[in-house]
Amino acid sequence: MNAEDWITHLDMAAHPEGGYFKQSFVSPEKISLATHPAERNLFTSIYFLLRSQDISHFHRLKSDELWYFHMGNAVMVHILDAEGNYRAEKLGLDLAGGERPQVLVEKGSIFGSTVDAENTFSLVGCMVSPGFDFADFELLKQAELLQLYPEQEQVIKKLAYE
């Protein structure tokens, strides 16, 4: 199946950061934390599909997000931590080639993703705890990030909205 088949069969929608998603689970348990504006589900999970022509633009969450590789080509998860240090985690199944089947993005980190192989896609799962809510989602712009982290200009210009 190609990317469009997966998008159709999983009933995925365009995500504001880029790519496509479908919520696959919402835990019934609730949690309250000072770091979140209201009660949240204990965790949530989505399918996320990114094609090679797409970019998952830089964004930030108030929760940890754990990525799981399902199929397709490897996806590169680009992360700026709270201090502005950059690292790239390659999510995939080629362990000998440096890929990992799971990647953790710590809460408060700025992150986005790409599929670097041409004419392909990646299907992953993303679990967020405390559960995802768009109230905790912050899409970041180039100008803001360049002011904060000028040493990361190359990756910021690649992954942040203008």
Side-chain angles (χ1 to χ4, degrees), residues 28-93:
E29 295 86 11
K30 301 283 187 173
I31 188 169
S32 295
L33 297 169
T35 55
H36 293 69
E39 188 177 70
R40 295 284 178 262
N41 297 89
L42 185 59
F43 71 96
T44 58
S45 187
I46 64 168
Y47 292 115
F48 183 67
L49 185 139
L50 195 65
R51 302 171 304 174
S52 51
Q53 67 265 35
D54 301 324
I55 293 176
S56 167
H57 291 89
F58 268 150
H59 59 287
R60 180 171 32 211
L61 301 178
K62 294 181 179 182
S63 300
D64 291 331
E65 182 167 351
L66 190 56
W67 289 52
Y68 302 92
F69 184 81
H70 290 311
M71 66 152 311
N73 278 43
V75 61
M76 191 68 73
V77 183
H78 304 269
I79 303 167
L80 289 172
D81 67 20
E83 290 77 39
N85 301 307
Y86 170 75
R87 75 179 192 277
E89 302 278 356
K90 199 166 190 179
L91 183 69
L93 299 179

Side-chain angles (χ1 to χ4, degrees), residues 136-155:
D136 304 329
F137 174 81
E138 182 182 10
L139 200 54
L140 298 150
K141 303 236 181 210
Q142 278 185 18
E144 175 185 2
L145 291 175
L146 288 169
Q147 191 172 33
L148 293 171
Y149 310 113
E151 67 280 5
Q152 305 300 348
E153 179 179 6
Q154 184 176 359
V155 71

